[in-house]
Amino acid sequence: MATDLVVTGMGVVSAIGQGKQGFGESLLAGRSAFGVMQRPGRRREDAPLLGAEFGELAVPEQIPRQLLRTASLSTAAALTVVHEAWEEARLAELDPQRIGLVVGGSNVQQRELVNVHDAYAGRIAFLRPTYALSFMDTDLCGFCTAHFGIHGLAYTVGGASASGQLAVIQAAQAVLSGQVDACIAVGALMDLSYWECQGFRAIGAMGSDRFAASPELACRPFDRDHDGFIFGECSGALVIESLASSRRRGIGGYAALAGWGVAMDGNRNPDPSLRGETRAIRAALAQAGLDAAAIDYVNPHGTGSIVGDETELRALRECGLSQARLNATKSLVGHGLSAAGAVEVIATLLQMRAGRLHPTRNLDDPIDPDLRWVAAQGEAHRIGNALTLSMGFGGMNTALCWRSCA
């Protein structure tokens, strides 16, 4: 049975735009911002790493600068996106005890930790006391609940690259169960250090040597020249509440969350599973009460992984989704890992509201040319029902069905 939940507020930061307006404009224009990564703790002189980093984070002036002194980049990004979503959804109107927060992601502050370790090497006795708090992912919950006065539930959920969508699901379940009236789902910025980047490179997941001299060409989801994902800094927040609550408060929704599916592969290795992906998709469609033919648009996981991309397209075909329009948000923003699912949901809902689909960069030779790709040029397209997909290491597969509120 379909749920009765809507998204009433969103916030986003990414390398192509900070805030929904800037992000949405860049998305529909097909802009990207890939280059050699330069952040301390991530930059490598011996082996330059490609990715998409944003410049100075535009933290809202309402967030005290004193609060930011001990905040990591992941925390500052979470405060920024929650603020945007909070204001749009007018959450200050609600009882603080009826507001929840779910942060999607684990091990999201690795670069921050590497920088602290380097700074205190040889003088560990002088390590700052706040390190006892800041090395934990729950510190993001602490900062956000303290600043916004959230007194309902708050916790983190880890699902690797499926974390953002998993946070949305957990937030939805918190509202449906009556624990809270509104719940904020955050896809946390996974702040990789050079250690994690090297690990991803060693396992064959992260590209790209092939396009080292042309970073703008490196991120190639679903193209035959793909050779791994390209990292992109980003974070997103969505406010989930019941349709009845939003109507009572006179707030319109971006879209209704009609159904979801979660399926595990039962496999610790990073290789994808056709069976797991199809199970998640079919579960989401069943809960939404939709046939595959009713889906107008799919926002796929689409990392640029050689095996992952091919498996995902097989899953779409097997589930009867060949007729849906497809594009790849990661081709513009990169792979945000723990944040990816939340940011790509935001991209989907912005496209639904605009009635337009964004281009897919570098899709020069699709591995399955018969599918209905939106390639170099965006296009007008009314989306009545959409499907968003996220998969994560550890064998996690998630799918969300969205219905237009228009």
Side-chain angles (χ1 to χ4, degrees), residues 324-336:
R325 302 298 282 171
L326 283 166
N327 56 15
T329 300
K330 289 183 180 70
S331 73
L332 304 177
V333 303
H335 191 352

Side-chain angles (χ1 to χ4, degrees), residues 134-151:
S134 63
F135 81 87
M136 295 188 234
D137 296 322
T138 50
D139 203 33
L140 277 69
C141 292
F143 269 95
C144 289
T145 56
H147 175 69
F148 294 100
I150 297 170
H151 292 283

Side-chain angles (χ1 to χ4, degrees), residues 25-297:
E25 290 173 356
S26 292
L27 196 71
L28 295 178
R31 300 188 187 108
S32 67
F34 296 104
V36 175
M37 295 194 287
Q38 300 293 330
R39 287 206 191 276
R42 189 185 298 149
R43 178 179 179 175
R44 287 187 59 181
E45 299 290 350
D46 59 329
L49 298 164
L50 304 185
E53 298 173 325
F54 48 73
E56 184 177 355
L57 186 62
V59 181
E61 61 183 14
Q62 294 89 339
I63 297 174
R65 304 302 104 167
Q66 179 88 4
L67 185 67
L68 297 173
R69 287 180 56 193
T70 57
S72 68
L73 181 64
S74 300
T75 299
L79 287 165
T80 300
V81 299
V82 170
H83 174 84
E84 185 179 15
W86 180 280
E87 292 295 310
E88 184 176 33
R90 304 198 325 244
L91 291 184
E93 299 174 356
L94 296 179
D95 179 350
Q97 297 183 52
R98 301 295 300 168
I99 302 172
L101 172 73
V102 181
V103 175
S106 55
N107 308 113
V108 298
Q109 304 177 94
Q110 298 302 98
R111 187 184 65 88
E112 174 80 6
L113 301 183
V114 165
N115 288 341
V116 170
H117 296 170
D118 289 348
Y120 287 92
R123 55 190 192 102
I124 192 170
F126 297 95
L127 180 68
R128 66 190 191 202
T130 54
Y131 183 81
L133 303 173
S134 63
F135 81 87
M136 295 188 234
D137 296 322
T138 50
D139 203 33
L140 277 69
C141 292
F143 269 95
C144 289
T145 56
H147 175 69
F148 294 100
I150 297 170
H151 292 283
L153 61 87
Y155 54 84
T156 64
V157 293
S161 297
S163 295
Q165 286 212 155
L166 189 60
V168 172
I169 293 169
Q170 292 291 308
Q173 291 175 334
V175 174
L176 285 178
S177 67
Q179 295 178 75
V180 291
D181 296 327
C183 196
I184 308 162
V186 176
L189 188 155
M190 181 169 276
D191 195 8
L192 299 180
S193 77
Y194 53 79
W195 288 101
E196 291 73 50
C197 292
Q198 180 59 32
F200 282 130
R201 297 269 288 168
I203 206 171
M206 188 176 187
S208 161
D209 289 329
R210 185 177 305 170
F211 297 98
S214 303
E216 72 281 2
L217 301 178
C219 194
R220 313 184 69 84
F222 303 115
D223 187 78
R224 292 189 187 280
D225 276 342
H226 56 180
D227 68 346
F229 79 81
I230 304 299
F231 175 63
E233 290 182 337
C234 58
S235 182
L238 301 101
V239 176
I240 309 291
E241 66 179 297
S242 70
L243 180 60
S245 173
S246 69
R247 285 175 173 171
R248 185 168 58 249
R249 301 195 301 119
I251 295 180
Y254 281 91
L257 176 55
W260 58 79
V262 178
M264 297 302 296
D265 298 337
N267 180 11
R268 181 250 180 171
N269 295 321
D271 50 304
S273 163
L274 177 64
R275 183 170 178 270
E277 293 180 20
T278 56
R279 284 178 55 224
I281 292 169
R282 287 170 175 154
L285 291 171
Q287 185 180 24
L290 294 172
D291 293 328
I295 300 297
D296 306 300
Y297 166 72

Side-chain angles (χ1 to χ4, degrees), residues 311-362:
T311 303
E312 186 173 11
L313 296 186
R314 287 178 60 200
L316 293 178
R317 282 195 174 278
E318 191 161 309
C319 290
L321 290 159
S322 300
Q323 86 295 335
R325 302 298 282 171
L326 283 166
N327 56 15
T329 300
K330 289 183 180 70
S331 73
L332 304 177
V333 303
H335 191 352
L337 301 167
S338 54
V343 170
E344 286 155 21
V345 166
I346 291 169
T348 297
L349 302 194
L350 290 175
Q351 289 176 98
M352 291 180 81
R353 178 162 285 190
R356 189 166 185 83
L357 301 180
H358 72 69
T360 304
R361 286 181 64 89
N362 301 322

